[in-house]
Amino acid sequence: MNPSEDKQPVKKVCIIVSRGSLDGVYPALIMANGARMEGIDASLFFTFFGLNALVQKTLDHLKVATVGNPAMNMAMPMLGMPMTMPFPTWMGALPGISAFATGLMNKKMEELDIPPVGEFLELISDSGGKIFACKLAMDMFKLKPEDLSDRVDGVLTVGQFYEESAGAGTHILFT
Amino acid sequence: MNKEIAGTTVEVNEEGYLTDMSQWNEAIAAAIAAEEGVGPLGDGHWKVIRYLREQQAKGAALTIRSMGKSGIVTTKELYDLFPGGPLKKSSKIAGIPKPVGCI
């Protein structure tokens, strides 16, 4: 086979977002927006705690997970300290640490022109990306469609999500 | 490498982006647009193209977010005007380098 024939382009990405921390949600938003910028279709399916990013009351208040995160040393350069500086995981549980780390990350992201979650959902939706909520998780957390951002295109069952993902060249990513 | 576009020889990189924005003219823009399946170029396209060239000349980093906030074009309009890669295609047509950011 000719190597160039082997390179089938990605036509669509369907990204499942199952976590609701700031660091759990942003990679998916960035990947979806990046796909649209390349002319690739994008659908986001928010399930379990990922719904935190669609609920109007919470979506712009996501927090960095500092408890049980052994990679917090990555944030040290933001404080002018070396990345190799240890950050014991128990420190992540100290009062105010998560809020502090979140504030720091939000500031850095704004500098890089990464929008807040609400604005990011608008950007993805305006670019033609689709945003879905998981029906089962909605029932589990006792959420109604009116609790969600008005950019949500619908509440889907798992089966409907797979239907939405149909087509050669579609990739399903779980985050 | 050199490439002849709309009767002018210009310097382009391997992806077809002009490497010297001063070699650009409107006929070149129209020819690249046709090659990219965009256009014919209307007022909306030209507004974006001129804005991109101004920003590039200032050395500003271009993002899809900053375009939507520019007041020149909304995100939706930008995607409609340059289907299949709004910032990449508009930059190529405007004769400026391919945007390097992820946003």
Side-chain angles (χ1 to χ4, degrees):
Chain A
M1 188 193 283
N2 180 330
S4 63
E5 285 172 18
D6 194 23
K7 272 196 157 185
Q8 293 298 322
V10 176
K11 287 190 184 150
K12 179 171 182 172
V13 287
C14 293
I15 306 175
I16 302 163
V17 190
S18 65
R19 295 185 300 134
S21 60
L22 185 143
D23 43 312
V25 167
Y26 263 99
L29 299 178
I30 293 167
M31 296 296 288
N33 175 61
R36 291 301 305 129
M37 285 176 69
E38 296 294 320
I40 298 168
D41 285 338
S43 286
L44 286 160
F45 184 67
F46 291 81
T47 188
F48 276 75
F49 294 100
L51 283 176
N52 209 23
L54 295 187
V55 175
Q56 269 171 13
K57 285 182 183 161
T58 60
L59 58 83
D60 273 324
H61 304 283
L62 305 188
K63 303 274 189 297
V64 175
T66 54
V67 174
N69 182 351
M72 281 302 290
N73 56 293
M74 294 286 295
M76 284 303 168
M78 294 183 192
L79 297 170
M81 285 180 263
M83 196 178 281
T84 48
M85 185 161 165
F87 184 95
T89 52
W90 61 264
M91 278 178 66
L94 293 177
I97 291 288
S98 180
F100 177 70
T102 300
L104 209 57
M105 288 283 281
N106 280 334
K107 188 166 152 267
K108 280 289 159 194
M109 290 198 296
E110 183 61 45
E111 283 168 22
L112 292 169
D113 220 12
I114 303 174
V117 173
E119 190 191 328
F120 219 153
L121 294 175
E122 287 171 16
L123 181 62
I124 291 168
S125 164
D126 282 346
S127 74
K130 296 270 180 281
I131 298 165
F132 299 108
C134 168
K135 166 111 182 28
L136 189 60
M138 292 281 287
D139 292 345
M140 188 165 63
F141 291 119
K142 297 195 184 333
L143 287 165
K144 295 190 227 37
E146 55 267 33
D147 297 323
L148 306 181
S149 156
D150 55 10
R151 293 311 182 112
V152 173
D153 292 286
V155 178
L156 304 186
T157 64
V158 170
Q160 286 170 322
F161 167 73
Y162 283 124
E163 276 172 32
E164 162 65 26
S165 310
T170 298
H171 293 246
I172 299 179
L173 316 175
F174 192 95
T175 68
Chain B
M1 64 180 115
N2 284 324
K3 188 180 177 188
E4 195 182 310
I5 306 175
T8 314
T9 303
V10 293
E11 182 80 16
V12 296
N13 69 9
E14 57 286 356
E15 289 183 291
Y17 287 78
L18 266 65
T19 52
D20 178 358
M21 67 183 277
S22 69
Q23 292 182 329
W24 177 92
N25 63 40
E26 294 192 352
I28 290 173
I32 298 175
E35 219 174 275
E36 291 290 326
V38 172
L41 297 178
D43 286 348
H45 296 99
W46 289 115
K47 270 205 307 201
V48 172
I49 292 165
R50 277 187 224 109
Y51 178 77
L52 286 172
R53 289 182 61 81
E54 279 166 27
Q55 294 300 306
Q56 179 65 26
K58 278 195 230 162
L62 291 161
T63 64
I64 199 86
R65 184 194 190 195
S66 64
M67 290 301 292
K69 286 186 158 186
S70 64
I72 298 292
V73 67
T74 66
T75 304
K76 264 187 192 160
E77 289 164 354
L78 190 61
Y79 273 88
D80 287 342
L81 288 168
F82 300 94
L87 203 51
K88 268 188 352 183
K89 289 196 176 178
S90 55
S91 295
K92 195 172 189 179
I93 295 166
I96 66 171
K98 184 177 177 177
V100 288
C102 293
I103 291 288

